[in-house]
Short mmCIF file of all heavy atoms in Angstrom, two decimals:
data_model
loop_
_atom_site.label_atom_id
_atom_site.label_comp_id
_atom_site.label_asym_id
_atom_site.label_seq_id
_atom_site.Cartn_x
_atom_site.Cartn_y
_atom_site.Cartn_z
N THR B 108 -21.20 -8.39 -3.72
CA THR B 108 -19.80 -7.94 -3.70
C THR B 108 -19.50 -6.91 -4.79
O THR B 108 -18.35 -6.53 -4.98
CB THR B 108 -18.84 -9.14 -3.89
OG1 THR B 108 -19.22 -9.84 -5.07
CG2 THR B 108 -18.87 -10.08 -2.71
N ALA B 109 -20.55 -6.47 -5.52
CA ALA B 109 -20.29 -5.61 -6.68
C ALA B 109 -20.23 -4.13 -6.32
O ALA B 109 -20.96 -3.66 -5.46
CB ALA B 109 -21.38 -5.84 -7.73
N ASN B 110 -19.33 -3.41 -7.01
CA ASN B 110 -19.30 -1.95 -6.92
C ASN B 110 -20.34 -1.32 -7.83
O ASN B 110 -20.77 -0.19 -7.63
CB ASN B 110 -17.95 -1.38 -7.38
CG ASN B 110 -16.78 -1.91 -6.61
OD1 ASN B 110 -16.15 -2.90 -7.00
ND2 ASN B 110 -16.46 -1.27 -5.50
N LEU B 111 -20.68 -2.07 -8.89
CA LEU B 111 -21.47 -1.44 -9.96
C LEU B 111 -22.32 -2.49 -10.66
O LEU B 111 -21.93 -3.65 -10.76
CB LEU B 111 -20.47 -0.81 -10.93
CG LEU B 111 -20.95 -0.04 -12.16
CD1 LEU B 111 -19.96 1.10 -12.46
CD2 LEU B 111 -21.06 -0.93 -13.39
N VAL B 112 -23.51 -2.05 -11.12
CA VAL B 112 -24.33 -2.95 -11.92
C VAL B 112 -24.66 -2.26 -13.25
O VAL B 112 -24.91 -1.06 -13.29
CB VAL B 112 -25.63 -3.35 -11.17
CG1 VAL B 112 -26.43 -2.14 -10.73
CG2 VAL B 112 -26.51 -4.28 -12.02
N VAL B 113 -24.57 -3.04 -14.33
CA VAL B 113 -24.99 -2.56 -15.64
C VAL B 113 -26.35 -3.19 -15.91
O VAL B 113 -26.47 -4.41 -16.03
CB VAL B 113 -24.00 -2.98 -16.75
CG1 VAL B 113 -24.50 -2.49 -18.12
CG2 VAL B 113 -22.61 -2.43 -16.47
N ILE B 114 -27.39 -2.35 -15.96
CA ILE B 114 -28.74 -2.86 -16.23
C ILE B 114 -29.03 -2.65 -17.71
O ILE B 114 -28.99 -1.52 -18.20
CB ILE B 114 -29.77 -2.16 -15.34
CG1 ILE B 114 -29.50 -2.56 -13.87
CG2 ILE B 114 -31.20 -2.52 -15.76
CD1 ILE B 114 -30.38 -1.89 -12.87
N LEU B 115 -29.29 -3.74 -18.40
CA LEU B 115 -29.51 -3.66 -19.84
C LEU B 115 -30.98 -3.57 -20.17
O LEU B 115 -31.79 -4.31 -19.61
CB LEU B 115 -28.96 -4.93 -20.51
CG LEU B 115 -27.48 -4.89 -20.85
CD1 LEU B 115 -26.83 -6.17 -20.41
CD2 LEU B 115 -27.30 -4.68 -22.34
N VAL B 116 -31.31 -2.68 -21.09
CA VAL B 116 -32.65 -2.72 -21.68
C VAL B 116 -32.52 -2.74 -23.19
O VAL B 116 -31.53 -2.25 -23.75
CB VAL B 116 -33.55 -1.54 -21.22
CG1 VAL B 116 -33.71 -1.52 -19.72
CG2 VAL B 116 -33.02 -0.21 -21.72
N ASP B 117 -33.52 -3.32 -23.82
CA ASP B 117 -33.59 -3.37 -25.27
C ASP B 117 -34.27 -2.07 -25.72
O ASP B 117 -35.40 -1.79 -25.29
CB ASP B 117 -34.41 -4.61 -25.64
CG ASP B 117 -34.54 -4.82 -27.14
OD1 ASP B 117 -34.53 -3.82 -27.90
OD2 ASP B 117 -34.67 -5.99 -27.56
N ALA B 118 -33.61 -1.29 -26.57
CA ALA B 118 -34.14 0.02 -26.98
C ALA B 118 -35.52 -0.08 -27.61
O ALA B 118 -36.33 0.84 -27.53
CB ALA B 118 -33.17 0.71 -27.94
N ARG B 119 -35.82 -1.24 -28.21
CA ARG B 119 -37.14 -1.40 -28.84
C ARG B 119 -38.22 -1.59 -27.81
O ARG B 119 -39.39 -1.29 -28.03
CB ARG B 119 -37.14 -2.62 -29.77
CG ARG B 119 -36.23 -2.47 -30.97
CD ARG B 119 -36.11 -3.79 -31.70
NE ARG B 119 -35.58 -4.82 -30.79
CZ ARG B 119 -35.41 -6.10 -31.13
NH1 ARG B 119 -35.75 -6.51 -32.35
NH2 ARG B 119 -34.90 -6.96 -30.29
N LYS B 120 -37.84 -2.17 -26.65
CA LYS B 120 -38.84 -2.53 -25.65
C LYS B 120 -38.91 -1.54 -24.50
O LYS B 120 -39.92 -1.45 -23.81
CB LYS B 120 -38.54 -3.92 -25.11
CG LYS B 120 -38.64 -4.99 -26.18
CD LYS B 120 -38.29 -6.35 -25.60
CE LYS B 120 -38.21 -7.40 -26.69
NZ LYS B 120 -37.40 -8.55 -26.26
N GLY B 121 -37.80 -0.84 -24.25
CA GLY B 121 -37.80 0.14 -23.17
C GLY B 121 -37.80 -0.51 -21.79
O GLY B 121 -37.39 -1.66 -21.63
N VAL B 122 -38.30 0.24 -20.80
CA VAL B 122 -38.29 -0.23 -19.41
C VAL B 122 -39.36 -1.30 -19.24
O VAL B 122 -40.54 -1.05 -19.45
CB VAL B 122 -38.53 0.95 -18.44
CG1 VAL B 122 -38.61 0.46 -17.01
CG2 VAL B 122 -37.43 2.00 -18.60
N LEU B 123 -38.94 -2.49 -18.87
CA LEU B 123 -39.86 -3.62 -18.69
C LEU B 123 -39.95 -3.98 -17.21
O LEU B 123 -39.18 -3.48 -16.39
CB LEU B 123 -39.37 -4.84 -19.46
CG LEU B 123 -39.23 -4.72 -20.97
CD1 LEU B 123 -38.66 -6.02 -21.53
CD2 LEU B 123 -40.58 -4.41 -21.60
N THR B 124 -40.85 -4.90 -16.93
CA THR B 124 -40.97 -5.41 -15.56
C THR B 124 -39.64 -5.88 -15.03
O THR B 124 -39.26 -5.59 -13.91
CB THR B 124 -41.97 -6.59 -15.56
OG1 THR B 124 -43.20 -6.08 -16.07
CG2 THR B 124 -42.18 -7.14 -14.18
N GLN B 125 -38.90 -6.61 -15.86
CA GLN B 125 -37.62 -7.15 -15.39
C GLN B 125 -36.60 -6.03 -15.13
O GLN B 125 -35.75 -6.17 -14.25
CB GLN B 125 -37.07 -8.19 -16.34
CG GLN B 125 -36.69 -7.65 -17.69
CD GLN B 125 -35.71 -8.58 -18.38
OE1 GLN B 125 -35.40 -9.64 -17.89
NE2 GLN B 125 -35.21 -8.18 -19.54
N THR B 126 -36.71 -4.93 -15.85
CA THR B 126 -35.81 -3.80 -15.59
C THR B 126 -36.06 -3.27 -14.19
O THR B 126 -35.14 -2.94 -13.44
CB THR B 126 -36.07 -2.66 -16.60
OG1 THR B 126 -36.24 -3.21 -17.90
CG2 THR B 126 -34.94 -1.66 -16.60
N ARG B 127 -37.34 -3.19 -13.83
CA ARG B 127 -37.70 -2.72 -12.49
C ARG B 127 -37.21 -3.70 -11.43
O ARG B 127 -36.71 -3.31 -10.38
CB ARG B 127 -39.23 -2.56 -12.39
CG ARG B 127 -39.76 -1.48 -13.32
CD ARG B 127 -41.22 -1.14 -13.03
NE ARG B 127 -41.69 -0.21 -14.05
CZ ARG B 127 -42.34 -0.58 -15.16
NH1 ARG B 127 -42.63 -1.83 -15.38
NH2 ARG B 127 -42.70 0.33 -16.04
#
Side-chain angles (χ1 to χ4, degrees):
Chain B
T108 53
N110 302 92
L111 181 147
V112 56
V113 179
I114 294 177
L115 274 134
V116 301
D117 182 329
R119 294 170 302 177
K120 297 178 187 158
V122 177
L123 299 177
T124 302
Q125 66 159 6
T126 317
R127 296 191 186 95

